[in-house]
Amino acid sequence: MRIIRFKCTFILLAFISCLAGCSGGFKEKLIKDEIIKDMGIKGALTEQKLLSINKFCLEEYSECESLEDISKLKNIDRLTLGYRSDKFKPEIISVSSVESADIIASKNKMYENDLKIIMDSCNKIECFEIIPSDNSIHFESLEFLAGTADSLEYLHLYYMDVDDYSYIYECANLQELVIYYNQNFDDEDLVGIDQLEHCEAILLQGTNVSKADQFLEMKNLKTLCIENTPLAENEEELDRIREKFPDIVIRRNNDDYQITKLIYDPKDLVVLEYVPKQDK
């Protein structure tokens, strides 16, 4: 009798374990459905199938009560949260959420906690971006980036507010940094950027950056986009940057340059590739 009970218990535990490794182990149906739809996965979401996924975009992330399920995608090298179609629309910064302040605060805390779990688990991510549909994202810090500090090469943060940006500068292999329309981002938030020895492209459009000092400490800066910033209007500070980097492309208004490429694969990502517009 004990042997039979032991076998039954073993079979039950094996069945539960199987469920945990498949779609039954998901907290969020939205995330599971998005994986199935985008990746064309048929049948159960086994661990092997989840490990075969290398890119994931969750457009309606704000509808989720938890993002933790994304941590099952341990081999992704690109993670996008939000709508790519919202890129380069400054008006988003003035769009307020319809949710209460308490709900927004609770969601932001959830995002921070879950992103730490995700980044610790998915530590091969090379490109991470958040593209909200309103201005409700406010993080205390970007501590969750620590999990991908060695792998992250492209970091794009749109329309969001962060109290402490210092964790960005621990991402030693970062090549491209986008802080897009955060009016609270200023010169003090750039302290430490000289640690990004491989960073070649920076977009700080719609921020409050006004000085050249921190950029002068960098080694390989090739492209700087500063539309709608105090720095864009300060010719003396811009001359200091040009003196340090004679070949740099500085974009300070939409008429200076035209984008030659805008694609989304991290292996070919050239969001900040500009050429001077030709006179007609």
Side-chain angles (χ1 to χ4, degrees):
M1 182 64 70
R2 290 182 179 177
I3 295 176
I4 293 174
R5 286 179 178 174
F6 175 78
K7 286 184 176 180
C8 289
T9 302
F10 178 80
I11 292 171
L12 179 60
L13 289 173
F15 177 70
I16 293 173
S17 177
C18 179
L19 283 178
C22 303
S23 61
F26 278 77
K27 296 179 179 179
E28 280 288 343
K29 184 177 184 298
L30 178 62
I31 294 177
K32 181 186 73 174
D33 291 346
E34 196 68 29
I35 292 172
I36 293 172
K37 181 184 73 173
D38 280 4
M39 307 304 157
I41 294 177
K42 297 180 180 180
L45 292 177
T46 62
E47 183 177 1
Q48 183 178 4
K49 290 179 180 178
L50 294 173
L51 293 178
S52 70
I53 298 170
N54 56 25
K55 295 176 180 63
F56 185 61
C57 174
L58 184 63
E59 292 188 341
E60 298 180 354
Y61 73 94
S62 60
E63 302 297 318
C64 296
E65 294 183 5
S66 170
L67 302 177
E68 189 176 341
D69 286 333
I70 298 174
S71 65
K72 300 176 187 294
L73 309 178
K74 297 180 184 296
N75 286 331
I76 56 173
D77 56 29
R78 182 187 183 101
L79 175 60
T80 299
L81 301 178
Y83 293 88
R84 290 172 181 163
S85 60
D86 284 338
K87 272 191 174 181
F88 307 115
K89 291 185 178 180
E91 60 268 24
I92 294 296
I93 199 66
S94 63
V95 177
S96 298
S97 173
V98 297
E99 296 177 316
S100 70
D102 288 343
I103 291 177
I104 290 173
S106 178
K107 277 192 170 184
N108 283 329
K109 194 63 180 177
M110 178 270 288
Y111 294 148
E112 285 192 67
N113 292 338
D114 285 359
L115 281 170
K116 185 177 188 313
I117 294 171
I118 292 167
M119 297 302 189
D120 286 346
S121 177
C122 309
N123 55 16
K124 299 177 182 178
I125 292 177
E126 298 175 0
C127 179
F128 174 62
E129 57 185 353
I130 300 181
I131 313 169
S133 56
D134 58 43
N135 60 8
S136 64
I137 298 291
H138 182 169
F139 290 166
E140 291 182 4
S141 78
L142 299 172
E143 184 179 1
F144 55 81
L145 292 176
T148 54
D150 293 332
S151 63
L152 199 64
E153 297 178 1
Y154 305 94
L155 178 62
H156 301 165
L157 304 176
Y158 294 79
Y159 321 114
M160 54 186 289
D161 192 14
V162 180
D163 293 337
D164 179 7
Y165 285 90
S166 62
Y167 286 92
I168 291 176
Y169 309 128
E170 296 182 12
C171 300
N173 294 307
L174 202 66
Q175 298 177 27
E176 180 173 289
L177 173 63
V178 175
I179 308 290
Y180 190 79
Y181 274 88
N182 174 3
Q183 295 169 342
N184 293 322
F185 186 95
D186 59 22
D187 299 312
E188 291 185 6
D189 294 309
L190 284 171
V191 174
I193 201 169
D194 58 297
Q195 299 176 53
L196 303 180
E197 297 185 359
H198 303 288
C199 190
E200 298 182 352
I202 298 177
L203 188 151
L204 299 175
Q205 187 169 342
T207 66
N208 201 31
V209 171
S210 62
K211 300 291 185 181
D213 297 358
Q214 300 304 323
F215 301 115
L216 299 180
E217 300 298 322
M218 299 184 71
K219 295 183 177 180
N220 296 303
L221 190 58
K222 296 179 179 179
T223 305
L224 180 62
C225 301
I226 50 172
E227 299 100 318
N228 297 319
T229 67
L231 179 59
E233 307 301 322
N234 193 326
E235 202 64 45
E236 183 177 342
E237 292 294 297
L238 293 177
D239 284 343
R240 294 175 65 202
I241 296 174
R242 294 188 187 103
E243 184 178 355
K244 172 70 183 288
F245 305 101
D247 297 323
I248 194 171
V249 170
I250 298 179
R251 173 172 168 154
R252 53 179 178 167
N253 66 64
N254 292 328
D255 297 324
D256 288 342
Y257 294 88
Q258 62 186 3
I259 299 175
T260 58
K261 276 188 178 182
L262 180 56
I263 49 182
Y264 297 110
D265 188 278
K267 300 301 182 184
D268 300 308
L269 194 65
V270 202
V271 172
L272 303 183
E273 180 177 280
Y274 296 100
V275 296
K277 285 188 176 180
Q278 300 297 320
D279 293 333
K280 294 183 179 179

